[in-house]
Amino acid sequence: MAEAKMAMPTVPNFEVHTDLVTRGTPWAKWLKRFESVMVGFNITDSTRKQALLLFYGGQDMQDEFDTLTETGEDKDYKKLTAHFTPKVNADYETILVRKLM
């Protein structure tokens, strides 16, 4: 008996060129949705996951990924997560809190 094949769902591209300060939250939501799709379609091979991540992420994400160093390992989207999450400057945050006092 022939096994029915399911078509891959459409996933909107990730908007790379959003505000650098706030794009961490949309990235976390997009990545969670992407990982749900991978579970739903039983895609467990890390090489396939990375290829699909870059495909579904869109050309802009691929361009950003190409600028990162030391990529090519499994689960490189951890490097994308670090890239898309805003960096916190503890000293600056302390100054802001002290100004409020």
Side-chain angles (χ1 to χ4, degrees):
M1 184 162 107
E3 185 176 318
K5 293 190 178 197
M6 293 191 291
M8 290 298 289
T10 58
V11 177
N13 291 353
F14 178 67
E15 296 294 328
V16 172
H17 301 294
T18 58
D19 181 20
L20 296 176
V21 175
T22 60
R23 74 178 176 187
T25 301
W27 168 251
K29 288 180 180 181
W30 188 91
L31 186 59
K32 184 177 180 179
R33 192 173 312 120
F34 171 79
E35 288 174 337
S36 294
V37 169
M38 296 298 101
V39 169
F41 282 87
N42 197 27
I43 297 172
T44 57
D45 180 66
S46 58
T47 304
R48 285 185 70 197
K49 281 184 182 180
Q50 180 174 313
L52 288 168
L53 174 90
L54 295 174
F55 173 77
Y56 280 126
Q59 185 62 48
D60 290 337
M61 182 187 289
Q62 177 71 55
D63 292 342
E64 291 286 322
F65 183 78
D66 290 342
T67 66
L68 300 177
T69 59
E70 299 178 18
T71 57
E73 302 297 319
D74 294 345
K75 295 197 111 184
D76 274 336
Y77 58 83
K78 288 182 180 179
K79 292 175 184 168
L80 281 169
T81 298
H83 179 72
F84 289 134
T85 303
K87 311 301 180 268
V88 176
N89 183 331
D91 294 333
Y92 180 70
E93 296 295 326
T94 302
I95 291 168
L96 289 179
V97 169
R98 288 184 181 161
K99 282 184 178 181
L100 292 174
M101 295 179 176

